[in-house]
Amino acid sequence: MKRAAILSCLFLFAATPAFAQRFGSLPKYSKRKMERVTRFLDVSAGVGYHTMRTDLEMGGDGRGRIGANAGVYYRNAFKPTLHFMTGVGASYFSSRSKYDNITTEQTLIHPDNGETYTFKTQFLQWEEIQKTINIEIPFGAYYAKFLNKSLWRMMVGGGARLEIPIVKKFKTDNAQTGKMTLSGYFPSTNVEYDDLENHGFYTRTEFSGKADTRAFGVSLFADFGFSYPVSANRFIYLGLYFSHGLLSMSKSSSTPLYSPDSQSYSGIFSSDLINKAFEMSVGFRGAYTFGF
């Protein structure tokens, strides 16, 4: 009996709001009132897998990492089911490129004695992380529809957005095992030197600098989620998002990853080891919406 009483109480506790909502005594707001709201301001934030999908030369391995986005977006309901959207936001992208056991060679003339020698650059378990933060301006449209008699509203949309990188950096991550070894082979002595830093032959593990990307990008995006009212003109939204770049963010370059002439490390995005890099993201997004 006690168990049956508890189950009955739980049923009444759950069923009463549902029946009240169905017959109109709950909540104080209605679909008709909500459909009169034609302007919306979404304060949004999301997290997911954000990467720069790379096409690496010489057997490199590129992987994505966790990223995030945030923004404020304005929607105007041309019809109750059709909303047009624009606004401003920001996204954080990050990717990791890895090279293991690759060697590049260049024929150079030594400045001290004029001898021709072979300059070798070897990368062992070499990893570099690229990061960008973009300002985004989207233009899109959404289809919005209530789910039967409930107050949940399904929202499906998409469009295109302009992306402007304001932060673009790279940093190597080789504290454990990765290293870059610079050496020179001289045919006259049949000796390969790799520990003469004054002559440019040494081992390094860490570099950092500015990643050279295009000044702007264009991507397509899609959203799918559900909105629920917390009042007649305030809503919460939960959903999924996806985006993919139409333009490669990398510039084609013939510069080697390490240049012996300038004794500088250019970063993978500024080197001849990469052909293309397309930004891609997928994740979960939430928003709080103000209706007017």
Side-chain angles (χ1 to χ4, degrees):
M1 282 298 288
K2 185 181 293 185
R3 181 180 297 179
I6 294 175
L7 291 175
S8 298
C9 291
L10 290 175
F11 174 78
L12 290 174
F13 179 79
T16 300
F19 279 103
Q21 176 175 313
R22 180 177 179 183
F23 291 106
S25 60
L26 270 180
K28 295 180 180 179
Y29 40 91
S30 66
K31 292 181 183 178
R32 181 171 296 181
K33 288 182 180 179
M34 286 186 284
E35 287 181 344
R36 292 175 182 172
V37 179
T38 59
R39 293 171 295 164
F40 305 88
L41 194 66
D42 299 324
V43 181
S44 169
V47 63
Y49 179 81
H50 289 217
T51 183
M52 287 168 279
R53 190 170 59 82
T54 54
D55 181 14
L56 297 172
E57 297 286 346
M58 300 182 67
D61 180 26
R63 298 181 181 180
R65 307 176 78 215
I66 296 297
N69 59 46
V72 178
Y73 307 106
Y74 172 76
R75 284 186 289 121
N76 192 301
F78 180 72
K79 295 180 178 180
T81 57
L82 180 60
H83 299 187
F84 292 101
M85 181 272 287
T86 189
V88 62
S91 284
Y92 169 74
F93 288 85
S94 180
S95 60
R96 180 187 295 267
S97 303
K98 183 176 181 179
Y99 279 94
D100 189 19
N101 197 24
I102 66 166
T103 301
T104 61
E105 297 184 354
Q106 298 170 269
T107 300
L108 302 176
I109 298 177
H110 200 278
D112 292 342
N113 54 22
E115 182 180 355
T116 299
Y117 72 102
T118 301
F119 184 90
K120 295 183 179 181
T121 307
Q122 183 181 39
F123 296 94
L124 294 174
Q125 298 185 19
W126 187 257
E127 297 190 39
E128 180 186 297
I129 297 173
Q130 302 91 25
K131 301 178 181 180
T132 64
I133 297 177
N134 299 338
I135 295 296
E136 300 174 339
I137 303 174
F139 301 91
Y142 285 82
Y143 173 76
K145 182 176 177 58
F146 285 105
L147 298 178
N148 296 326
K149 296 181 180 181
S150 74
L151 294 176
W152 286 95
R153 182 157 33 185
M154 179 184 69
M155 299 189 65
V156 182
R161 65 189 182 202
L162 176 67
E163 300 178 338
I164 305 172
I166 57 171
V167 175
K168 34 191 180 179
K169 297 180 178 180
F170 72 82
K171 182 179 180 180
T172 57
D173 186 20
N174 303 294
Q176 300 298 323
T177 57
K179 63 179 180 179
M180 179 192 74
T181 300
L182 307 176
S183 62
Y185 172 73
F186 291 80
S188 61
T189 57
N190 195 28
V191 174
E192 183 171 330
Y193 299 95
D194 61 5
D195 193 18
L196 295 173
E197 187 167 353
N198 291 336
H199 294 273
F201 308 135
Y202 53 85
T203 297
R204 290 283 299 272
T205 59
E206 300 297 329
F207 291 96
S208 62
K210 183 178 180 180
D212 189 16
T213 69
R214 296 187 183 276
F216 69 92
V218 178
S219 67
L220 297 178
F221 69 90
D223 286 330
F224 174 78
F226 299 92
S227 176
Y228 189 81
V230 294
S231 72
N233 56 1
R234 298 290 184 269
F235 310 86
I236 56 172
Y237 169 89
L238 295 173
L240 303 173
Y241 65 86
F242 172 81
S243 73
H244 198 287
L246 293 178
L247 301 177
S248 172
M249 294 301 294
S250 69
K251 300 177 181 178
S252 57
S253 174
S254 59
T255 304
L257 186 56
Y258 182 85
S259 175
D261 295 330
S262 59
Q263 295 187 357
S264 62
Y265 179 88
S266 58
I268 289 177
F269 269 51
S270 306
S271 74
D272 57 0
L273 292 179
I274 190 170
N275 284 328
K276 297 178 181 180
F278 293 98
E279 292 182 334
M280 185 191 78
S281 68
V282 58
F284 299 94
R285 185 170 72 89
Y288 189 86
T289 299
F290 300 87
F292 305 95

